[in-house]
Each structure stands twice: as C-alpha cells, then as structure tokens.
Amino acid sequence: MHTVKLKSGKYSFQADAYESILDAAIRAGVPLNYGCSNGNCGLCKANIVSGPTAQIRTHDFVIRDADKIQGYALMCSTSCQGDVVIDADVVTSVSDIPVQKLRIKVRKIDRVSDDLAIITMQVPRTVRLRFIAGQYVRIYDDQQRSHEYAIASCPCDEKRIEFHVRKLENDAFSSLVFNHLSIGDWLNIQGPYGDFVIDDTKESPIVMIAFDTGFAAIKSLLEHVTAQDKDRSIYLYWLACGVEGLYLDNLCRSWDDALDEMHYIPLHMSRNVNEILDSQYEG
C-alpha cells in the first residue's frame, strides 16, 4: 500500500498500485471532486506534485500537452506506484454535488419487521451516485410512485445504496415496497438533496441524535467518519419507542466495542429520557 497526500495537508489515504487514485480516495471517504469516473469529463484532473504514478486505463478526455508536462493526470485513470502528493479539488459543500438521475436495481430486501424493511440497491457498473453522507434522494418507480429517503450507506461504497423504509398508511411507494417489490426489480432515484452533513475540516467531538428511521442518515454519517480513520469522538443517541425500534442495535454496539472514540447510548422512550441523559454525566 502507498500513501497519497493532498498538497493542502487536509487529507491523506492509502492506495494500492492496481487501483485508481480516485477509487482509493472514495473508499477512504476522501471527497475528491469527480464526475463520470470513467475518463470522459475531466473533473478529476489533478496535478501530481511528487511521487511515481502510472496510467492504468485509457480515457477519452484530452489532457493538453502543456498540462501533461506540468504533471496533470486524471485520478480515475491513474494509480500510484509509490507515495505521492497530489494537488486536487475536493468537494467542500453540497452545492458542489450535481443532482443526478439514475436507474438502480434491487439487490437485497431485509424485512426487519412487519413494518420496516432495509432495501439495498445496486448502481450500474458504469456509473456512480455522487453524494455527501447525510443527504437524501427521491426514489420512484416507472409509475411515478415515489418517496424521499435518506441514504443509509456510505459514499465510500457508492455502488451500493441503502434505504430504511417504514410502512406507512395510504402511501403508494410504501405499499409497493411491502407488497410488490422483489430482488432484481429496477427503480429510479433523483438527487442528492439536503445539507445534513459533517464538516470534515473540524476535529471537535460529534454528537448525533436519531429517532426511529432517522437513524438512516446517521448511519451514513458514521460510516463516512469511520472510513476516514480519524480520532474524532462520536456520541450517538438513538431514541426509539421500545427495544424493537433500535433495529440495528447490534451494529451500533459493535461500533462502540471496536472504536475507542465511539460512544453509543440507546434511549427507550418508555423510560424518562432526561433521567437517562443525566446518568451519562454522573460523577
């Protein structure tokens, strides 16, 4: 593994010699700017400040000879062959992410309970959904039955998109999910939207409070932060109307056990919330 550092000093990540620098950055939760990710748009063009690199795939975007001489290359088509330093654009706000329309395939349906399902979708191999952890999309079928859901998965795994769907009365899309949706079906998404995101440039502790399926956006944020491998204290409070409301309680406890800086506090609404919160700070 080689180390890739940004000239700004704000980010560094590990990359293999066989993968593109862009793929390694996405996997590590580093928000390099990019568009198509397959060598057509040129948005991931960056300057190789130092270190050995190699072109691992051809691309249609034409880099001018003058730029090549100065060390510019497409990060989606370039790998590092040793430790490198790059001068690359990074996504700093939600306004840097364009609204996209993609067709996605149902890969898995996990029926957690009679009124809750976790849907895992697959993006076609040739495209990616660009989003920042904490954002949401509109998901709809060919009959325009739709609903807006927070993305529950990490941008570092942009080929797999997860949604937490609660069964709702008189909701056409909810009815579709619980009565008709099958593995292999195709749906459409439009987005991302929203600005419920974390400022990666800060190192202060993070306090997250989730209620019911509002945990979906929190899960995306947590996976993004942990992918960056930063020592940043995280306090997660998950409120639910009973034990069954904490539908991914085991996952949260595993994070709490594995990560020194992670603190998970489940809150059952059947108890006095103020009493539980106060107990966390006794002594």
Side-chain angles (χ1 to χ4, degrees), residues 50-227:
S50 65
T53 61
Q55 183 174 322
I56 57 174
R57 64 173 66 98
T58 60
H59 52 78
D60 293 333
F61 181 82
V62 178
I63 300 177
R64 298 181 305 170
D65 290 339
D67 286 342
K68 289 180 181 179
I69 293 173
Q70 295 180 49
Y72 282 91
L74 297 188
M75 297 300 94
C76 67
S77 305
T78 302
S79 71
C80 55
Q81 303 300 303
D83 293 348
V84 301
V85 176
I86 63 174
D87 187 5
D89 293 333
V90 297
V91 172
T92 59
S93 70
V94 294
S95 62
D96 294 331
I97 304 292
V99 172
Q100 304 141 70
K101 290 184 179 180
L102 301 178
R103 193 156 174 81
I104 56 178
K105 189 175 185 179
V106 179
R107 175 175 162 185
K108 182 180 178 183
I109 303 175
D110 183 9
R111 301 197 182 278
V112 180
S113 66
D114 290 340
D115 65 350
L116 177 65
I118 296 178
I119 312 297
T120 303
M121 312 293 294
Q122 175 113 19
V123 175
R125 183 172 299 179
T126 57
V127 296
R128 283 185 163 109
L129 174 66
R130 294 184 62 198
F131 69 97
I132 299 177
Q135 292 191 289
Y136 66 93
V137 298
R138 173 177 169 256
I139 181 169
Y140 57 100
D141 68 354
D142 292 338
Q143 299 179 34
Q144 295 301 310
R145 290 175 289 190
S146 68
H147 204 94
E148 292 178 344
Y149 291 102
I151 302 171
S153 46
C154 179
C156 59
D157 187 10
E158 82 291 348
K159 293 289 185 180
R160 184 185 68 87
I161 308 174
E162 181 181 307
F163 301 104
H164 299 176
V165 181
R166 178 69 72 184
K167 190 174 184 178
L168 302 173
E169 292 285 340
N170 302 317
D171 182 82
F173 189 83
S174 170
S175 177
L176 166 69
V177 169
F178 284 91
N179 298 319
H180 305 290
L181 195 66
S182 301
I183 294 175
D185 288 351
W186 289 86
L187 294 171
N188 310 287
I189 56 174
Q190 179 175 309
Y193 304 106
D195 56 6
F196 180 62
V197 300
I198 290 176
D199 186 347
D200 290 332
T201 64
K202 296 183 178 180
E203 297 182 357
S204 55
I206 301 171
V207 177
M208 298 180 174
I209 301 175
F211 178 75
D212 194 55
T213 52
F215 175 71
I218 296 295
K219 178 175 177 289
S220 178
L221 290 168
L222 283 169
E223 291 181 349
H224 169 69
V225 172
T226 54

Side-chain angles (χ1 to χ4, degrees), residues 32 124 215 235 277 279:
L32 291 190
F215 175 71
Y235 296 85
L277 289 172
S279 70

Side-chain angles (χ1 to χ4, degrees), residues 230-251:
K230 291 184 177 180
D231 294 329
R232 191 170 180 181
S233 296
I234 302 171
Y235 296 85
L236 168 61
Y237 296 87
W238 191 0
L239 288 74
C241 298
V243 176
E244 65 278 1
L246 305 173
Y247 53 90
L248 289 179
D249 182 66
N250 288 338
L251 173 63

